[in-house]
């Protein structure tokens, strides 16, 4: 059995609830052409980097998953980064789900989630500013995938 106490584990019970809810959102809202089960797994493991570090968890998680040959490692690597050049339906769905589920695993929608991030991190924080940019980018591309 893996002893998680030896790692700098930032994956709290709330983060696990968040990941489970992101997974369910992705499975239940994936557009045609995407496998709902694959989207569930992607949503569930998107914050795996928190097992080892808080800052840069997406980058670390993506690298760990790449080393394991996981198909959607780039989505994990780039989630929440509005400045990346990599684009995919899967990444947009992941960012949409991540921005719709609060830190406790409750569906709140993008506006309330942005307010939550702003309250927790500050209006000038990198976390909040990146979340706002991700939300803007997602809203521009939603009609391509869902309508």
């Amino acid at each position: 059995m893996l002893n998680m106490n030896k790692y700098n584990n930032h994956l709290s019970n709330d983060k696990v609830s968040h990941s489970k809810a992101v997974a369910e959102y992705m499975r239940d809202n994936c557009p045609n052409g995407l496998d709902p089960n694959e989207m569930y797994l992607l949503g569930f493991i998107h914050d795996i980097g928190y097992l080892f570090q808080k800052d840069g968890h997406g980058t670390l998680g993506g690298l760990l998953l790449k080393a394991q040959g996981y198909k959607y490692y780039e989505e994990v690597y780039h989630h929440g980064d509005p400045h990346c050049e990599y684009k995919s339906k899967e990444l947009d769905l992941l960012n949409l789900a991540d921005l719709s589920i609060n830190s406790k695993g409750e569906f709140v929608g993008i506006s309330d989630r942005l307010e939550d991030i702003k309250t927790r991190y500050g209006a000038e924080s990198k976390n909040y500013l990146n979340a706002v940019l991700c939300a803007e980018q997602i809203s521009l591309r939603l009609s391509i995938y869902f309508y």
Side-chain angles (χ1 to χ4, degrees):
M1 179 175 219
L2 183 62
N3 179 3
M4 293 310 297
N5 292 331
K6 70 180 183 176
Y7 299 107
N8 191 11
N9 187 351
H10 297 280
L11 196 61
S12 67
N13 287 338
D14 282 348
K15 288 215 187 318
V16 172
S17 295
H18 167 79
S19 291
K20 185 174 184 277
V22 167
E24 291 168 354
Y25 182 97
M26 290 183 70
R27 178 196 59 216
D28 296 345
N29 294 283
C30 73
N32 290 336
L34 299 183
D35 182 311
N37 294 320
E38 287 183 356
M39 293 305 96
Y40 181 92
L41 179 59
L42 173 57
F44 193 73
I45 65 173
H46 81 281
D47 280 341
I48 195 167
Y50 276 121
L51 286 171
F52 307 99
Q53 67 187 34
K54 188 174 181 178
D55 294 329
H57 75 277
T59 301
L60 178 60
L63 292 173
L64 291 169
L65 293 169
K66 179 181 181 181
Q68 297 301 309
Y70 181 59
K71 181 177 179 176
Y72 297 113
Y73 76 89
E74 287 188 89
E75 282 71 15
V76 173
Y77 186 96
H78 294 295
H79 84 275
D81 180 4
H83 306 293
C84 74
E85 293 187 20
Y86 177 79
K87 306 288 183 229
S88 73
K89 286 183 191 180
E90 296 86 353
L91 178 59
D92 285 339
L93 180 60
L94 176 56
N95 282 330
L96 174 62
D98 205 20
L99 285 173
S100 297
I101 306 296
N102 72 11
S103 61
K104 297 183 186 307
E106 303 162 331
F107 175 83
V108 294
I110 293 175
S111 296
D112 286 350
R113 176 74 162 133
L114 289 175
E115 198 57 40
D116 171 55
I117 294 169
K118 183 170 139 182
T119 300
R120 289 179 24 230
Y121 297 100
E124 300 301 318
S125 71
K126 181 180 176 183
N127 290 13
Y128 176 68
L129 297 174
N130 281 346
V132 169
L133 287 174
C134 276
E136 290 171 357
Q137 291 173 2
I138 291 166
S139 67
L140 290 173
R141 290 194 293 271
L142 273 181
S143 63
I144 295 169
Y145 305 134
F146 298 102
Y147 302 105

